[in-house]
Amino acid sequence: MVSANPNWHVVADPGPSFNVFDKLNVKLPTRLDVLYPDPVGPNVLINDRDAKERYVISLETGQISTSVLDDLDLLDPQAVSPNGRFFAAVARSSDRSVSIWSMETGKKVRAFREPDRLSAHRVSFNREDQITIVWDGSDELKTSVYDMKTGNEVSHFRVPLRSNRTSQKYIAFSPGGNQVALLVNFELQIFDLNNGKRTGHSLLDRKSVV
């Protein structure tokens, strides 16, 4: 049982509550991608593949933002902020940097790049004023927390990898955005994004991981 693990000090981190608009009447495109905010939030980003448009739908009010971010050739990872104001992605033509666009103006407002030539593996707007990027390297995962206003790195921590070629990496953020779970080669580690400290560590049975 998890409770018997002396290395497990993880506490619940629930997400915000919100009411879903009960008369959401939106005509969706035929070919689309849906990007839900991570952590939880009421704003969903729609990517219309045919019209090459991106816009945000509020599940609370049913309102649709003005279409911006047209004709962007983007790669994963991608993320939309819970408040629907920002969108993050890696541009295909970029130098592995993660760019941030304003959903209100369509303009790029900031870009983050790891000087160690690591590639972005996962992105999350864990807070309204912060963004967390998990960078993937040949021998480590580096998790960096950045201040959205200044662009400065607030904190970071590293998790070594035995071998990047054989490592299976799964990453998830808690609903409240204060914790990140890293599962690498059946080794589960939970970190507090506020201070970078590890709060949980467990070696999983291979049969328990799907």
Side-chain angles (χ1 to χ4, degrees):
M1 294 178 62
V2 173
S3 58
N5 186 342
N7 298 317
W8 198 265
H9 306 285
V10 181
V11 296
D13 184 30
S17 60
F18 57 90
N19 296 319
V20 177
F21 192 63
D22 59 356
K23 295 182 180 180
L24 192 63
N25 186 16
V26 178
K27 184 178 180 180
L28 296 176
T30 304
R31 298 199 313 143
L32 78 162
D33 297 313
V34 181
L35 184 62
Y36 291 92
D38 183 12
V40 176
N43 296 286
V44 177
L45 185 136
I46 302 296
N47 177 24
D48 186 336
R49 294 185 183 181
D50 295 321
K52 296 183 179 180
E53 297 177 338
R54 292 177 176 84
Y55 49 88
V56 171
I57 297 177
S58 171
L59 299 181
E60 281 188 305
T61 64
Q63 294 181 344
I64 302 177
S65 70
T66 303
S67 174
V68 296
L69 307 179
D70 303 344
D71 298 325
L72 291 179
D73 190 10
L74 303 176
L75 300 172
D76 290 332
Q78 300 182 18
V80 59
S81 62
N83 58 18
R85 294 179 55 200
F86 299 103
F87 172 70
V90 177
R92 190 178 297 274
S93 59
S94 75
D95 53 356
R96 301 186 182 182
S97 61
V98 176
S99 298
I100 313 296
W101 288 270
S102 167
M103 290 301 298
E104 298 172 350
T105 65
K107 295 182 179 180
K108 184 190 295 187
V109 295
R110 195 163 295 285
F112 299 95
R113 182 174 180 270
E114 174 53 45
D116 295 333
R117 299 294 293 171
L118 304 180
S119 301
H121 187 81
R122 189 69 183 272
V123 180
S124 172
F125 291 92
N126 61 304
R127 291 185 177 179
E128 289 190 8
D129 58 345
Q130 290 182 346
I131 184 172
T132 298
I133 303 175
V134 180
W135 303 97
D136 192 353
S138 59
D139 57 358
E140 68 174 0
L141 287 177
K142 179 184 178 183
T143 301
S144 299
V145 180
Y146 299 94
D147 186 293
M148 282 286 293
K149 293 182 180 180
T150 65
N152 296 330
E153 185 183 67
V154 178
S155 62
H156 73 267
F157 55 87
R158 302 173 186 266
V159 174
L161 302 175
R162 294 186 181 92
S163 173
N164 194 46
R165 294 181 180 179
T166 59
S167 293
Q168 293 180 309
K169 299 178 285 287
Y170 302 94
I171 301 170
F173 292 89
S174 60
N178 293 300
Q179 302 172 14
V180 61
L182 306 177
L183 177 60
V184 181
N185 286 342
F186 305 99
E187 182 179 6
L188 175 63
Q189 300 184 73
I190 312 292
F191 290 88
D192 188 327
L193 291 173
N194 298 302
N195 52 33
K197 293 183 178 180
R198 190 173 71 177
T199 58
H201 178 235
S202 180
L203 295 177
L204 304 182
D205 189 325
R206 292 177 179 267
K207 296 180 180 179
S208 66
V209 180
V210 179

